[in-house]
Amino acid sequence: MAFVLWAVATVTFFAIRLIPGDPAEAILGGPGSQASAAALAQARADYGLDQPLFVQYLHYLGRMLRGDLGTSYALKQPVLAVVGENLGGTLLLAVVSLIVAAAIALALAAWSAQGGRVASGVSWLLEVIAAAVPHFWLAISLILLFSTTLGWLPPVSVPGPIGLVLPILTLALPLSGFLAQVMRESILDAIASPFVLAARTRGEGSGGVFWRHALRHAAIPAIGLAGWAFGSLISGAVVVETIFARPGLGRSLLTAVQQRDVPLVLGVVLVVALGYMLVTTLTDLADRLVDPRLRAS
Amino acid sequence: MKRLLAWIGVTALIFLLIAALAPGLLAPADPLAINPTQSFRAPSFDHLFGTDESGRDIYTRVIHGTGASLLIGVSATAIGIGLALVFGLLAGLGPRWLDFGTTRFLEVLFAFPGLLLALLFIVVYGPGVITSTIAVGLATAPGYARIIRSRVLVVRRAPYLEAAAVLGRGWWFRLWRHLLPNVAGSLFVLVTLGIGQSIVWASSLSYLGLGAVPPAAEWGAMLSAGRTYLASFWWMTFFPGLFIMISAVASTLVGRGLQERNRDS
């Protein structure tokens, strides 16, 4: 994990060096700003850009180890402070969406495993949404339906739980389609397997078989998708936070990309990469909890 | 049922191909012709999908935008698969240290999930159609590479390759005549599924103002232009979005159909 983090930091550091143009100029407001030579030299000295590349790289790694991600060009604030300010909103959005998506997927998987045709239809529809509907398009459709036509919910994310409903639906619906698809297949496999027959002959009811036996098998591949789901939620958050005008990490990332605010982009990317690695590490642990076969080996 | 869905996908794909190659057949009008007296008209018989802020016919623009949008999807997928093929073959065929190195490198790329790799690329090379297409290709490559690598690892141990080696066939012959064709079978499915995904991603980037820019008749650019008028003139964003969805659904249905057929045979 430390290796991947180091590699991510190195890749991003050198990727940034590929940017055409003078970074000192970018700090002073881009090529249009016509900064004086003295101001450029001052900016170079301030940001350590006058030193050899290798020295800059070592400084960069050293600062990273101390948790210093540099200063945003556009906001003139420490990147870590900007990230910290916005992290909470995005985490709340992502975690609640994940829970909602898992709940929908679980209900659908349970329902269609019991042979409900309606449930299969609904989960098929969600699968198509998951595979083919862009987040922004789903968000627009939900706004048109629930705000413009019905007037039930606000079209922008106002503070409080009511403003979270549409952003969460936008993120959770496609995710639940993927999860339901994976879970349904493994539940059907589990129900057809000999240990379920054995449980049945011991007198276990269909509810007990589902909750005690089949569900574990459904959880394993779904947990395996966690890292991917994290990425999908973060990508979705960029779009969703922009459309619903909700402050968060995704929207700051987009603004930073538009303004070519390199330190802020790097900071957000590194934090997301760290989050991704935490999720995959936790996934391995969760796998062992759910699947006793992994503990034995 | 599964067959029917696959055929619906094929039909939609043929329709989109006609729209891409001969847009004049389906929409004879000029997609860039402005008519300020007819701006913001709701969908009607004269303007099936309504008109935009300059009175341009949205149906005509959507049909004429098919070519550009599909081209972006296809190029991004080609870039992604091309890169993935290089990595997948290096890892699957090379010596063990090369496999180790490539796999670690892919792991690092996986730590930039989803749009992040694309956004990183755009911040380096600036927004635009070409950079956003390359960005989408780059962002999808690690996923493809992993699939191709595992496929190569299966195929290289296949008995027919051993037989070819025993018969004294050269390395290149085995690669071109045996290994690549067998890897290509699963590639075809990846490509059809991938084109829909690439169109969705590229249009998301255009929607965010990082890809194609108005007034080009490209779906993502049309969406981006319509975003401002979302509350009052929904048709400006609805119909381009509908076509993005149709192409993504079509590519998914055809891809799934091919997957099923591969599994059966």
Side-chain angles (χ1 to χ4, degrees), chain A residues 3-4 7-8 11-12 15-16 18-20 124 127-128 131-134 136-137 140 144 148 181 231 234-235 238-239 242-243 253-254 257-258 260 265 269 272-273 276, chain B residues 5 104 107-108 110-116 119-120 122-126 197 200 203-204 207-208 210 223 227 230-231 234 237-238 241-242 244-245 248-249 252-253 256:
Chain A
F3 161 77
V4 177
V8 165
V11 168
T12 44
I16 291 310
L18 295 172
I19 296 182
W124 185 80
E127 269 170 45
V128 172
V133 180
F136 66 85
W137 171 241
I140 289 171
L144 282 175
T148 317
Q181 181 188 5
I234 295 294
S235 315
V238 176
V239 176
T242 308
I243 292 183
L253 175 64
L254 181 67
V257 169
Q258 281 161 346
R260 301 186 89 173
V265 173
V269 166
V272 172
Y276 175 84
Chain B
L5 285 174
R104 284 298 93 77
E107 239 167 60
V108 172
F110 268 115
F112 302 97
L115 277 179
L116 250 70
L119 287 178
L120 199 64
I122 287 175
V123 87
V124 173
Y125 290 103
Q197 281 303 303
V200 166
S203 69
S204 300
Y207 181 80
L208 297 173
L210 301 170
L223 282 165
R227 186 165 60 154
L230 185 60
W234 55 270
T237 33
F238 182 84
L242 187 69
I244 291 172
M245 244 178 71
V249 170
T252 310
L253 290 181
R256 290 265 174 89

Side-chain angles (χ1 to χ4, degrees), chain A residues 84-296:
Chain A
E85 225 168 85
N86 289 297
L87 190 62
T90 304
L91 272 186
L92 178 72
L93 194 64
V95 169
V96 180
S97 302
L98 189 62
I99 294 171
V100 172
I104 297 176
L106 189 61
L108 278 174
W111 192 9
S112 52
Q114 266 142 34
R117 284 187 75 90
V118 186
S120 310
V122 173
S123 44
W124 185 80
L125 187 73
L126 281 177
E127 269 170 45
V128 172
I129 290 183
V133 180
H135 280 115
F136 66 85
W137 171 241
L138 187 60
I140 289 171
S141 311
L142 289 173
I143 291 176
L144 282 175
L145 182 61
F146 289 107
S147 310
T148 317
T149 314
L150 296 171
W152 290 352
L153 295 164
V156 293
S157 186
V158 294
I162 189 109
L164 269 172
V165 177
L166 288 185
I168 283 173
L169 272 183
T170 310
L171 286 177
L173 285 180
L175 192 58
S176 68
F178 274 114
L179 291 178
Q181 181 188 5
V182 174
M183 284 164 86
R184 192 181 49 189
E185 277 178 18
S186 44
I187 283 186
L188 290 178
D189 281 351
I191 283 181
S193 61
F195 68 83
V196 165
L197 187 64
R200 284 288 223 174
T201 50
R202 285 200 307 271
E204 188 109 54
S206 64
V209 163
F210 180 78
W211 289 107
R212 296 253 298 273
H213 298 283
L215 199 58
R216 262 173 195 264
H217 285 259
I220 293 166
I223 290 173
L225 276 177
W228 171 86
F230 175 80
S232 150
L233 282 172
I234 295 294
S235 315
V238 176
V239 176
V240 165
E241 287 171 359
T242 308
I243 292 183
F244 292 102
R246 207 187 129 70
L249 214 55
R251 198 156 70 120
S252 356
L253 175 64
L254 181 67
T255 322
V257 169
Q258 281 161 346
Q259 297 172 333
R260 301 186 89 173
D261 186 347
V262 174
L264 189 53
V265 173
L266 279 188
V268 175
V269 166
L270 286 176
V271 168
V272 172
L274 183 67
Y276 175 84
M277 276 176 278
L278 281 179
V279 169
T280 44
T281 314
L282 286 178
T283 307
D284 290 345
L285 292 177
D287 258 345
R288 282 165 185 276
L289 271 181
V290 176
D291 191 348
R293 288 170 297 187
L294 290 173
R295 265 174 282 168

Side-chain angles (χ1 to χ4, degrees), chain B residues 15-228:
Chain B
F15 168 75
L16 288 171
L17 279 179
I18 294 174
L21 297 173
L25 279 181
L26 297 169
D30 177 6
L32 294 173
I34 56 168
N35 186 355
T37 58
Q38 291 279 311
S39 59
F40 298 125
R41 291 297 156 101
S44 66
F45 280 113
D46 286 340
H47 300 288
L48 277 180
F49 294 175
T51 62
D52 67 4
E53 76 275 20
S54 316
R56 290 174 294 211
D57 182 51
I58 290 178
Y59 169 74
T60 311
R61 287 174 64 71
V62 166
I63 293 291
H64 282 261
T66 310
S69 305
L70 288 191
L71 186 64
I72 290 174
V74 171
S75 330
T77 313
I79 292 167
I81 297 269
L83 281 174
L85 209 54
V86 173
F87 283 125
L89 286 177
L90 280 180
L93 293 179
R96 187 166 282 177
W97 61 267
L98 197 58
D99 183 22
F100 182 81
T102 317
T103 320
R104 284 298 93 77
F105 181 66
L106 289 176
E107 239 167 60
V108 172
L109 288 186
F110 268 115
F112 302 97
L115 277 179
L116 250 70
L117 204 57
L119 287 178
L120 199 64
F121 185 79
I122 287 175
V123 87
V124 173
Y125 290 103
V129 189
I130 294 174
T131 42
S132 71
T133 307
I134 299 176
V136 171
L138 203 65
T140 48
Y144 294 138
R146 194 151 67 168
I147 299 173
I148 291 174
R149 173 182 169 268
S150 59
R151 181 76 195 145
V152 169
L153 285 179
V154 171
V155 171
R156 72 182 277 199
R157 283 180 183 74
Y160 52 80
L161 269 175
E162 210 176 321
V166 170
L167 286 171
R169 297 294 196 185
W171 195 83
W172 274 108
F173 185 88
R174 278 179 285 153
L175 181 71
W176 281 107
R177 290 293 294 276
H178 295 294
L179 195 116
L180 281 180
N182 279 292
V183 174
S186 48
L187 269 189
F188 201 58
V189 175
L190 274 188
V191 168
T192 39
L193 285 171
I195 289 175
Q197 281 303 303
S198 300
I199 291 177
V200 166
W201 281 41
S203 69
S204 300
L205 288 176
S206 303
Y207 181 80
L208 297 173
L210 301 170
V213 279
E218 191 268 338
W219 297 337
M222 293 177 68
L223 282 165
S224 174
R227 186 165 60 154
T228 335

